[in-house]
Amino acid sequence: MKAKKIVITGGPGSGKSSIINELIHRGYSCMEEISRQVTLDAKKEGIDQLFLTNPLLFSELLLKGRQKQYIEADLLNANTVFLDRGIPDLLAYMDFIGNTYPQYFINACKDNIYDFIFILKPWHNIYKSDNERYESFEDALKIHEHLLKTYQSYNYQLLDVPFDTVEKRVDHILKVLSR
């Protein structure tokens, strides 16, 4: 069975993980963000911020992980699978830092098509910096613009998620999907 793949994306501090956690709580199949795990694994190897030290290697590891999630979504016994970020996020982040990337990154975006993209704007009231999140709120705003541009370049219709409680944001997403 081929599941509908629904991406929840947005810049840092926009509430993606909270929404994914609420969807899991409600019994939905979800694929969690993998960048934190890649960062933590690199720290175990003595690299404090792999994205800043070697952004291409970091992005290659994320690409492999997100492609794996894309395939695994179809193996789940679910009609719908929510993903915390999609493959185009990689290109948006690389564009944000001004780095180039190989053609296979672009091909991966073309070959792995998602059914719906929900985008969350950075939200100053909930934004927090931590050991794995190095971006400032101003950076988050810039990343958001790169996400918009990147997803639109692959002809995705972006579905905005308004600021509200986590529960009401999830209710909004589910209502849009039920139409």
Side-chain angles (χ1 to χ4, degrees), residues 58-70:
F58 180 82
S59 297
E60 286 172 342
L61 294 170
L62 287 183
L63 177 60
K64 286 178 188 173
R66 291 195 182 138
Q67 286 175 313
K68 183 179 176 200
Q69 285 182 330
Y70 188 92

Side-chain angles (χ1 to χ4, degrees), residues 76-128:
L76 295 174
N77 188 20
N79 293 326
T80 302
V81 177
F82 293 90
L83 298 105
D84 189 338
R85 297 196 177 279
I87 294 170
D89 285 58
L90 297 169
L91 279 64
Y93 269 80
M94 294 294 277
D95 289 341
F96 165 69
I97 64 166
N99 236 19
T100 58
Y101 38 85
Q103 180 65 37
Y104 65 85
F105 276 54
I106 296 166
N107 295 345
C109 290
K110 292 177 181 176
D111 294 342
N112 299 275
I113 305 299
Y114 301 99
D115 296 286
F116 295 92
I117 310 295
F118 286 91
I119 190 156
L120 290 73
K121 294 176 186 162
W123 190 357
H124 202 276
N125 291 354
I126 65 170
Y127 181 84
K128 290 180 189 154

